[in-house]
Amino acid sequence: DGGITQSPKYLFRKEGQNVTLSCEQNLNHDAMYWYRQDPGQGLRLIYYSQIVNDFQKGDIAEGYSVSREKKESFPLTVTSAQKNPTAFYLCASSAQTSGRVHEQFFGPGTRLTVL
Amino acid sequence: GEDVEQSLFLSVREGDSSVINCTYTDSSSTYLYWYKQEPGAGLQLLTYIFSNMDMKQDQRLTVLLNKKDKHLSLRIADTQTGDSAIYFCAESKESGNKLVFGAGTILRVKS
């Protein structure tokens, strides 16, 4: 089955620790995205990547880092510099379709709780 | 600038119609989307409309677009308890590969 997987579903970490969230897709999509979701605030874009070995900051990149060494994988590291990391994190991917319908396919999300 | 706004909450009775509203500010938006998020899950695309259309119907879903007022709505006919979820409005532009999302509308369907 084609899709996007995120692991783990729930993650607990102590304050001050870095943590990496996994995102893998087998849809052969060029573009991948990381969003953060907080209650009442919708989705905010953290980082996105339109092609392997390239990525851009989104609206709230501070305290986060990413890599895109493989087309299928776009891991997100939440560093100790992120002041309020507890949130629901969503990964998405899309085909490069500039000028056409831009459907993003979402993973099931990872809920990160920092204690 | 880019801004998408939605009302936060809507409650309807099972069998009634639901209307979820959205306003956006960017007149260069090319496509407008409605996504659905069930509890604890990712988002799923429900439907979309191209900016030169004013209406699109897909089974129980009807999307209306008023481009002059930058207003988008999603009507769900014969709303069922399984329609209870958060509904997100989003926009994209021809030149970009990013979506701008609204804050989401929580739809609660009472049986």
Side-chain angles (χ1 to χ4, degrees):
Chain A
D1 286 336
I4 302 180
T5 56
Q6 290 184 244
S7 61
K9 191 165 176 62
Y10 299 96
L11 190 55
F12 297 89
R13 278 294 181 269
K14 290 184 180 178
E15 197 171 340
Q17 288 183 333
N18 291 356
V19 60
T20 297
L21 281 59
S22 165
C23 177
E24 305 276 331
Q25 55 100 359
N26 60 5
L27 299 168
N28 199 33
H29 284 165
D30 286 313
M32 297 186 74
Y33 311 80
W34 273 106
Y35 294 92
R36 172 184 170 133
Q37 185 177 18
D38 296 282
Q41 293 196 48
L43 274 68
R44 291 184 289 168
L45 183 64
I46 304 172
Y47 268 98
Y48 65 104
S49 167
Q50 296 187 340
I51 199 166
V52 174
N53 292 323
D54 187 45
F55 48 83
Q56 286 83 40
K57 292 182 179 180
D59 301 317
I60 55 164
E62 187 175 347
Y64 299 97
S65 65
V66 293
S67 63
R68 188 84 188 279
E69 296 175 4
K70 296 187 297 182
K71 189 176 186 178
E72 311 81 50
S73 178
F74 191 40
L76 173 75
T77 297
V78 184
T79 76
S80 57
Q82 168 48 232
K83 291 184 174 53
N84 186 17
T86 294
F88 190 51
Y89 290 88
L90 286 161
C91 179
S93 71
S94 70
Q96 286 284 55
T97 56
S98 181
R100 299 172 63 188
V101 173
H102 174 69
E103 179 177 1
Q104 290 188 11
F105 293 80
F106 283 80
T110 292
R111 186 165 297 281
L112 173 65
T113 303
V114 175
L115 306 170
Chain B
E2 301 171 337
D3 199 10
V4 178
E5 294 191 357
Q6 304 177 235
S7 52
L8 288 182
F9 187 77
L10 176 66
S11 180
V12 300
R13 292 194 182 280
E14 191 174 16
D16 288 350
S17 291
S18 308
V19 180
I20 303 171
N21 294 301
C22 170
T23 57
Y24 60 98
T25 57
D26 192 344
S27 57
S28 66
S29 298
T30 308
Y31 286 95
L32 294 130
Y33 307 79
W34 284 104
Y35 278 82
K36 176 183 180 182
Q37 183 183 33
E38 297 189 359
L43 277 67
Q44 177 186 12
L45 180 65
L46 278 180
T47 187
Y48 63 90
I49 188 166
F50 189 47
S51 59
N52 70 352
M53 297 168 63
D54 52 20
M55 186 180 101
K56 181 178 180 182
Q57 187 152 3
D58 184 0
Q59 299 182 329
R60 292 191 298 123
L61 305 178
T62 303
V63 179
L64 295 178
L65 175 61
N66 181 329
K67 197 171 181 182
K68 175 175 165 288
D69 294 338
K70 299 190 187 71
H71 182 266
L72 181 75
S73 68
L74 174 69
R75 179 177 180 270
I76 305 173
D78 187 24
T79 313
Q80 303 297 307
T81 54
D83 294 324
S84 293
I86 304 176
Y87 290 81
F88 291 93
C89 170
E91 61 174 358
S92 67
K93 289 192 269 290
E94 182 172 348
S95 60
N97 275 301
K98 290 196 297 179
L99 291 176
V100 178
F101 287 88
T105 299
I106 298 170
L107 175 63
R108 178 181 165 224
V109 182
K110 295 179 287 189
S111 56

